Amino acid sequence: MKLFRTFALAAAAAALALGARAQAPAPAPIADPAATPATKLLLANLHRLLPRGVMYGHQDDLAYGVAQAGQMWKGDANRSDVKSTAGAYPGVFGWELGHLELDSARNLDGVPFTKIRSYVQQAYAMGAVNTISWHLDNPHNGKTAWDTARTVKYILPGGPDHAKFVARLDRLAAFLGSLKGPKGEAIPVIFRPFHEHTGSWFWWGKKECTPAEFTALWRFTVDYLHNQKQLHNLIIAYSASDFADEADYLERYPGDAYADVLGFDDYVNGKAADKFQPGMARKLALLTSISKAHGKLPALTEVGYDGVPDPAWWTKTLLPLLKQYPVSYALTWRNGDPVHYFTAYPGQASAADFKQFFQDKQTFFANRLGPLRLYAKPI
């Protein structure tokens, strides 16, 4: 770590000076006026970085991965499939807090919350960005996040299950508030609640609540975390799944005062790459236009090709899209199974291509960000 820090700032200064895609739009103010200086600076720096390239992200990168075909590794210190393949950690780390609301010691994927806290701290120390999702169980009937019973109306203020929901928010807030840096400072994180809401596979989905109910849930959640729990280290991400047009994307948008990042999730899902690209291009074009109009940071909040069977997928399918349509980051999903995984590992079919993706001047991994640089001063 000391050797990394010795050379990182000089390397990062040169790397972050790289130009450029199209000029970034003027950003809107952060949704939380009381946000910590580091949180405000991080969001401002992400806007500044946007014209220069895209940060690569990976879910649960430090927690586990694929050791080799058919075998997994879990909990190895400082291990990462991304680093083992490309030579550097991701620029963005994704973490999941599902089951925190149940007062469980582990999240829904079996990762201890104490470990997640330390992973967030580790990513922060290397200057990378943390983004957090929350597949919370249904507070109305106790079933999973994937339950599709109508729920939102019961947990809004005045509803019979509102107190249950607030208790879950209290547990969430306690964890988010425990994310501290080496000097006791609150670590800024991108919080992505109620994601993929334009689909209908979660209890907060499109068919499971009205637009008014969804926006009320969103606003209550954000206001409660900011005002009641005094959490001011959150950058709020609005993250759709599929959408037809701008009106469809914004139908449940809670307003500019309640979001900082605009994104969506998209996967190849068995489709041929040549069919994936046109759909992704259409949505990225819409996203970049909407984000610019609202002064928000665009992001590909989840993306992936299960098993990455195409040996040139990174540089021939994904990278051209990211170069044509600027987004702050692209987060691939987790390597949670030796058969179902979303980034390369040593010996995997796309590993050589992934290293080329890493070497491109417009992709940012942790080695090109530098320790705490995004949090310390304008880039």
Side-chain angles (χ1 to χ4, degrees), residues 6 71 198 231 261 362:
T6 303
Q71 296 183 22
T198 55
L231 289 173
V261 176
Q362 290 184 12

Side-chain angles (χ1 to χ4, degrees), residues 94-304:
W95 310 109
E96 168 58 41
L97 298 186
H99 288 183
L100 182 71
E101 71 280 0
L102 306 180
D103 208 21
S104 171
R106 298 173 179 268
N107 77 356
L108 55 81
D109 297 313
V111 184
F113 288 109
T114 54
K115 284 283 193 179
I116 293 176
R117 183 184 296 110
S118 68
Y119 293 147
V120 167
Q121 293 166 336
Q122 185 177 348
Y124 170 68
M126 69 177 74
V129 177
N130 289 287
T131 179
I132 290 174
S133 55
W134 188 28
H135 292 77
L136 71 158
D137 277 9
N138 190 321
H140 171 56
N141 60 21
K143 296 183 180 180
T144 72
W146 288 264
D147 178 61
T148 54
R150 292 190 69 85
T151 295
V152 175
K153 63 182 179 180
Y154 297 109
I155 66 174
L156 289 173
D161 295 314
H162 180 62
K164 292 181 184 178
F165 179 58
V166 169
R168 294 182 177 207
L169 286 180
D170 289 342
R171 293 190 182 109
L172 170 72
F175 182 83
L176 293 175
S178 75
L179 302 177
K180 302 290 188 181
K183 298 179 181 179
E185 73 276 21
I187 295 175
V189 298
I190 298 174
F191 178 51
R192 188 169 65 104
F194 311 121
H195 68 296
E196 298 181 2
H197 60 279
T198 55
S200 289
W201 41 85
F202 297 127
W203 56 258
W204 58 82
K206 189 170 186 176
K207 294 180 181 178
E208 288 65 49
C209 60
T210 67
E213 288 170 343
F214 181 83
T215 55
L217 174 66
W218 186 286
R219 291 170 184 170
F220 174 81
T221 299
V222 172
D223 282 340
Y224 188 81
L225 295 176
H226 284 165
N227 302 330
Q228 299 301 315
K229 307 309 291 188
Q230 292 295 301
L231 289 173
H232 299 298
N233 59 326
L234 308 180
I235 293 171
I236 306 297
Y238 174 84
S239 175
S241 52
D242 198 17
F243 55 98
D245 51 31
E246 181 175 347
D248 191 24
Y249 184 83
L250 293 174
E251 181 185 34
R252 292 163 186 254
Y253 183 55
D256 287 349
Y258 288 90
D260 302 298
V261 176
L262 300 184
F264 67 91
D265 300 353
D266 200 6
Y267 289 85
V268 177
N269 287 334
K271 296 176 289 186
D274 60 351
K275 294 182 180 180
F276 169 79
Q277 277 186 315
M280 174 67 85
R282 176 187 64 80
K283 284 179 278 192
L284 283 172
L286 284 166
L287 178 69
T288 53
S289 174
I290 296 167
S291 298
K292 184 174 182 180
H294 289 262
K296 302 300 180 179
L297 190 73
L300 190 48
T301 42
E302 287 182 32
V303 67

